């Protein structure tokens, strides 16, 4: 019974918010006139380097950008005319944590109001200030995965564009939009890292029993080529694991490497180290998509 309660809590909070943000097109439209301040980690890291490069290369949502560190929040109030690109941490009542790269709308802070920062992520962001967010593997960002920030930065802007144009108005319309993109993966090369596959899929042959389209299996470092270069006609897999041994949850996504568009998403429990990556069911869904 206790495990059921834990999993329900995780589903309601962390899972429900793995990708999304504001659904208010007026709020998103108003944010376009802001300057975006990019808050990097307090110490130098691959994450810092590639986040700065990704923003310089791909950020077009607002007209201007500035750079600071997450520790600046301790000494400066937020500016209502500024948006902030930062890491935030969300926790459910069972203390499951997930880290997100988020675009945050500044606001006039109340007297005595402060933002708490832990491990380079804000832990008490008011939900209404979140414009767009995408779950990330913060540890992987500093261990060979920081090129994915190019994809994530594009993804945030795609989400905002869909809200601004009215194609996303709530979670249901967002989910339908992402599901409608499943079929386009079959027209692309799907790149999946060996490390992103569950042990139930040991090789390419096991995948192609179900998925008959172009798919390449490679080391994770090879995947980063598509992410850093925005390789056209490539769909790039992404996996984030949250929780501990008895409460692990696996988030599986596929992005357009060139545009950052989210094209597939699925998540479920990964208890006892099962379903720790893409499984046969993912490839069945993609193969049958129309």
């Amino acid at each position: 019974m206790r495990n059921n309660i834990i999993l329900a809590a995780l589903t309601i909070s962390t899972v429900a918010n793995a990708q999304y943000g504001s659904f208010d097109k007026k709020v998103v439209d108003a944010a376009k006139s802001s300057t975006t301040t990019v808050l990097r980690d307090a110490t130098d890291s691959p994450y810092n380097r590639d986040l700065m490069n990704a923003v310089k290369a791909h950020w077009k949502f607002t007209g201007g950008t500035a750079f600071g560190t997450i520790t600046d929040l301790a000494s400066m109030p937020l500016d209502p005319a500024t948006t902030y690109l930062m890491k935030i941490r969300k926790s459910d009542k069972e203390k499951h944590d997930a880290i997100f790269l988020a675009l945050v709308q500044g606001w006039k802070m109340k007297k005595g109001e402060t933002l708490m920062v832990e491990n380079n992520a804000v832990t008490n962001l008011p939900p209404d200030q979140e414009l767009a967010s995408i779950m990330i593997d913060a540890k992987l960002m500093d261990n060979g995965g920081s090129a994915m920030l190019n994809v994530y930065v594009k993804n945030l802007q795609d989400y905002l564009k869909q809200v601004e144009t009215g194609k996303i108005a709530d979670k249901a319309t967002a989910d339908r939009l992402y599901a409608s993109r499943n079929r386009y993966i079959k027209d692309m090369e799907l790149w999946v890292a060996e490390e992103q596959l569950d042990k139930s899929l040991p090789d390419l042959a096991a995948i192609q029993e179900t998925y008959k389209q172009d798919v390449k299996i490679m080391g994770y470092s090879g995947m980063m080529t598509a992410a850093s270069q925005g390789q056209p006609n490539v769909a790039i897999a992404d996996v984030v694991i949250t929780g501990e041994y008895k409460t692990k949850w696996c988030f599986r996504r596929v992005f357009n490497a060139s545009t950052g568009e989210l094209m597939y998403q699925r998540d479920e429990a990964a208890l006892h180290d099962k379903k720790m990556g893409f499984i046969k069911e993912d490839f069945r869904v993609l193969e049958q998509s129309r």
Side-chain angles (χ1 to χ4, degrees):
M1 175 65 74
R2 176 171 169 76
N3 280 345
N4 289 339
I5 294 172
I6 290 173
L7 293 179
L10 182 62
T11 302
I12 291 169
S13 55
T14 305
V15 174
N17 294 290
Q19 157 78 69
Y20 310 113
S22 174
F23 298 123
D24 191 329
K25 60 190 301 184
K26 292 182 179 178
V27 169
V28 170
D29 186 61
K32 293 181 69 175
S33 62
S34 69
T35 294
T36 299
T37 295
V38 182
L39 297 178
R40 295 168 292 178
D41 287 353
T43 56
D44 192 27
S45 64
Y47 170 85
N48 281 0
R49 178 198 64 220
D50 281 347
L51 178 62
M52 182 172 65
N53 290 339
V55 169
K56 288 181 176 179
H58 307 301
W59 190 256
K60 300 179 177 65
F61 177 68
T62 55
T65 54
F67 294 88
T69 63
I70 197 74
T71 53
D72 293 340
L73 295 177
S75 59
M76 69 175 187
L78 294 185
D79 181 356
T82 299
T83 49
Y84 298 85
L85 189 62
M86 65 172 77
K87 283 194 291 194
I88 64 174
R89 190 183 78 195
K90 300 180 186 180
S91 301
D92 63 31
K93 59 186 178 182
E94 293 291 341
K95 304 303 182 185
H96 297 92
D97 294 339
I99 302 297
F100 297 75
L101 180 65
L103 184 68
V104 174
Q105 177 64 61
W107 70 98
K108 185 176 181 180
M109 302 179 75
K110 299 177 182 177
K111 184 177 180 179
E113 183 179 7
T114 59
L115 290 176
M116 299 172 59
V117 177
E118 185 178 322
N119 294 326
N120 293 302
V122 172
T123 61
N124 63 333
L125 181 77
D128 288 347
Q129 304 308 128
E130 182 184 321
L131 294 172
S133 66
I134 182 74
M135 185 185 291
I136 66 173
D137 185 333
K139 292 181 179 178
L140 188 60
M141 293 298 99
D142 288 331
N143 290 278
S146 57
M148 277 300 294
L149 289 163
N150 291 281
V151 176
Y152 296 149
V153 164
K154 295 174 187 174
N155 170 266
L156 293 176
Q157 293 174 99
D158 177 67
Y159 176 83
L160 293 164
K161 181 178 74 173
Q162 305 309 323
V163 173
E164 186 183 10
T165 58
K167 293 182 179 179
I168 289 179
D170 50 28
K171 183 180 182 297
T173 52
D175 289 343
R176 284 198 295 270
L177 174 64
Y178 299 143
S180 74
R181 293 172 173 173
N182 291 176
R183 67 185 187 275
Y184 297 122
I185 296 173
K186 295 192 291 186
D187 298 327
M188 308 168 74
E189 284 185 354
L190 174 56
W191 288 18
V192 185
E194 296 170 357
E195 299 91 330
Q196 295 173 330
L197 292 172
D198 180 67
K199 59 187 177 183
S200 61
L201 291 175
D203 52 31
L204 181 61
I207 293 172
Q208 293 192 321
E209 289 177 2
T210 303
Y211 188 69
K212 310 299 183 181
Q213 318 305 318
D214 289 338
V215 56
K216 290 186 177 180
I217 308 301
M218 62 191 71
Y220 194 78
S221 60
M223 294 269 291
M224 293 302 97
T225 301
S228 61
Q229 297 180 1
Q231 195 130 347
N233 202 42
V234 168
I236 186 169
D238 192 41
V239 173
V240 179
I241 307 291
T242 64
E244 300 300 331
Y245 181 69
K246 292 183 178 181
T247 58
K248 281 186 178 178
W249 206 275
C250 180
F251 296 84
R252 306 186 292 276
R253 292 93 61 99
V254 177
F255 297 94
N256 184 317
S258 178
T259 66
E261 292 172 314
L262 181 59
M263 304 181 74
Y264 175 78
Q265 62 175 349
R266 184 183 177 91
D267 59 81
E268 59 192 308
L271 303 183
H272 309 295
D273 287 342
K274 295 181 179 179
K275 299 182 179 180
M276 291 283 288
F278 279 80
I279 59 176
K280 186 174 183 179
E281 179 65 12
D282 296 305
F283 292 102
R284 183 196 66 78
V285 171
L286 293 179
E287 179 66 24
Q288 295 180 358
S289 61
R290 295 289 184 269

